[in-house]
Amino acid sequence: MTSPEKIKSVALGRELNADDIRFLLSLEDPEEIRILGALAYEVKKENVGNRVYYRGLIEFSNICSKDCLYCGIRKSNAEPRRFTMTALEIIDAAMFAYRNRYGSIVLQSGERTGKTFTGFITSTIRNIRAVTDGKLGITLSCGEQSRETYEEFFNAGAHRYLLRIETSDRELYGKLHPRDRYHDFDARMQCLRILKETGFQVGTGVMVGLPFQTIDHLVKDLIFIREIDADMIGLGPYIEHSQTPLYAYRDQLWPQKDRLMMTLKMIAVLRIMMKDINIASATALQAIDGFGRERALKYGANVIMPSLTPRDHRKDYLLYEDKPCIEEDREECKDCLETRIRMVGDEVGWDEWGDSLHFRNRKL
Ligand code: SF4
């Protein structure tokens, strides 16, 4: 077993290099992993505090023009009933967040371009700002768009944008997506750059435990996140979906509990590497372990995204299978979540935007 002193000296010594990260991600003994998590939790408390910020998640449309090989709502899957919430339904969900002091929402959809769709998003942002006196923080997660469209969203009042890269390795990216011009690694990287130039707080993220993925890929992902200087990150375990092409490789996957543990280690190492960013505790963690999201808080995460998608639509927005809280009412989610957060020693940042301190510190 590696000594606690060795783990501590690697984790909290110099700026982590690839060897250090590989060493930490390779810890396997539960006690060693617990020590890593405890170090990350201390770094979190010292740098961003123990407040957890809510992002009420409104998955407002599952119509997508893309065909990512891992995703349950990919264009070629005929099973989900396709939907787009009306403007009133979205505003109702946003008002729930506002009334219940969530502080922020995330508007998420499948990826579509075109004026009708992007104009709908722009007017929805404006409407939400109007009915909440500009007090509700708005994050968007609506995929790759043009510079003009990103500027339009930003000027309408959205201030954070989440665009997951899923893997920073070009070759692995090619195995997760159809090899055509609509699924272009470089285009996605370019969008991340444009989002930053536009003024957004920019988030990205990767999946952990993908077929073909090695620890070296994950080391590269963490270095990539540091190099692009992301403000917020979502890290979640890959969970297979039977109606996707990648399901054919399920025999090659790590057991789910190993994907969960690797995700927790990734969160811990990232918190140590980037002390003042926001790290979301992905809902996918809860699909593997009923207490997975709360465990992630103990490893350094500080953001949670409770679902505000109407119950009728949730079963049609399954990027992966076994997604939790499909049947729970949003009122039930709210009460249950606060209790769970308190149980791990954190508290909810009610009514706060909980912006990325990293973004603010960079601007100073
Ligand atoms: S991952 Fe996103 S872009 Fe890809 S198919 Fe799913 S919803 Fe569409």
Side-chain angles (χ1 to χ4, degrees):
M1 179 169 158
T2 312
S3 72
E5 290 72 29
K6 162 95 175 163
I7 297 169
K8 192 169 176 183
S9 77
V10 172
L12 304 184
R14 60 185 175 200
E15 180 178 272
L16 297 186
N17 63 27
D19 288 339
D20 299 331
I21 297 170
R22 192 177 302 104
F23 165 79
L24 294 170
L25 293 184
S26 300
L27 296 174
E28 285 191 348
D29 183 277
E31 179 57 15
E32 294 170 352
I33 298 172
R34 190 198 63 74
I35 292 167
L36 173 65
L39 291 171
Y41 189 68
E42 283 307 309
V43 170
K44 164 176 137 168
K45 277 202 302 186
E46 272 171 35
N47 290 277
V48 294
N50 71 338
R51 219 166 271 177
V52 177
Y53 300 106
Y54 280 7
R55 311 278 184 250
L57 176 62
I58 306 170
E59 296 149 319
F60 68 91
S61 176
N62 67 352
I63 301 172
C64 188
S65 60
K66 285 199 163 177
D67 239 344
C68 306
L69 303 179
Y70 50 84
C71 177
I73 62 169
R74 60 199 297 269
K75 176 179 72 171
S76 299
N77 186 8
E79 291 298 321
R81 193 171 44 98
R82 300 290 167 172
F83 71 88
T84 300
M85 288 166 64
T86 64
L88 278 179
E89 283 176 318
I90 299 173
I91 288 169
D92 175 68
M95 284 304 292
F96 177 89
Y98 183 52
R99 278 195 305 269
N100 287 281
R101 306 174 54 220
Y102 276 21
S104 290
I105 54 167
V106 179
L107 295 176
Q108 187 174 74
S109 68
E111 193 166 310
R112 264 189 288 165
T113 51
K115 272 281 159 212
T116 310
F117 184 62
T118 61
F120 173 71
I121 295 171
T122 303
S123 66
T124 302
I125 296 166
R126 287 208 184 98
N127 287 334
I128 290 170
R129 285 192 58 86
V131 297
T132 62
D133 285 334
K135 289 186 181 146
L136 198 60
I138 301 177
T139 305
L140 293 181
S141 177
C142 304
E144 294 168 32
Q145 304 288 345
S146 67
R147 182 184 292 272
E148 294 67 35
T149 301
Y150 285 146
E151 285 171 355
E152 188 179 299
F153 292 161
F154 186 76
N155 292 333
H159 60 119
R160 299 186 281 242
Y161 204 103
L162 180 61
L163 186 73
R164 292 173 62 125
I165 191 85
E166 305 302 1
T167 173
S168 61
D169 184 85
R170 182 185 298 273
E171 201 179 314
L172 181 55
Y173 190 92
K175 291 178 179 164
L176 307 179
H177 299 91
R179 291 185 187 256
D180 60 29
R181 68 191 175 89
Y182 302 108
H183 300 80
D184 180 11
F185 182 77
D186 291 319
R188 205 151 184 94
M189 297 289 257
Q190 175 68 356
C191 281
L192 284 169
R193 280 190 283 273
I194 294 172
L195 283 164
K196 255 191 162 177
E197 287 162 13
T198 306
F200 280 105
Q201 294 173 46
V202 177
T204 188
V206 297
M207 283 189 283
V208 179
L210 286 158
F212 324 115
Q213 192 180 46
T214 64
I215 286 198
D216 280 342
H217 287 124
L218 297 172
V219 171
K220 191 172 168 182
D221 287 340
L222 291 178
I223 291 174
F224 162 80
I225 289 168
R226 182 169 65 194
E227 281 177 357
I228 66 159
D229 206 17
D231 301 305
M232 47 197 204
I233 290 296
L235 291 169
Y238 166 68
I239 300 177
E240 60 274 29
H241 191 302
S242 60
Q243 293 156 8
T244 63
L246 221 57
Y247 193 67
Y249 299 95
R250 62 192 178 283
D251 294 342
Q252 300 181 18
L253 298 172
W254 300 336
Q256 283 202 346
K257 69 172 181 24
D258 292 356
R259 282 177 254 167
L260 172 88
M261 287 317 296
M262 184 56 83
T263 306
L264 295 177
K265 285 188 278 184
M266 288 279 285
I267 289 171
V269 176
L270 182 62
R271 172 56 69 201
I272 289 165
M273 289 170 72
M274 299 185 76
K275 299 178 176 25
D276 55 358
I277 61 170
N278 279 350
I279 303 178
S281 173
T283 310
L285 288 160
Q286 199 184 347
I288 295 180
D289 174 340
F291 215 62
R293 278 192 309 187
E294 293 74 19
R295 290 179 75 184
L297 299 177
K298 290 300 268 182
Y299 280 75
N302 67 330
V303 167
I304 280 194
M305 301 182 4
S307 179
L308 297 182
T309 308
R311 230 183 333 183
D312 282 356
H313 293 317
R314 286 191 204 172
K315 62 183 180 315
D316 293 310
Y317 206 101
L318 300 182
L319 276 58
Y320 54 88
E321 281 173 331
D322 300 326
K323 194 171 172 184
C325 298
I326 297 296
E327 294 300 335
E328 270 80 356
D329 189 69
R330 56 194 185 186
E331 289 281 358
E332 290 165 0
C333 278
K334 174 176 157 268
D335 297 339
C336 151
L337 197 53
E338 185 183 11
T339 308
R340 286 161 164 251
I341 289 168
R342 283 177 180 276
M343 277 168 65
V344 297
D346 284 354
E347 59 183 59
V348 180
W350 296 115
D351 268 336
E352 293 185 59
W353 281 16
D355 277 344
S356 163
L357 289 182
H358 189 72
F359 179 81
R360 202 192 302 163
N361 291 340
R362 189 174 49 228
K363 290 239 145 195
L364 291 175

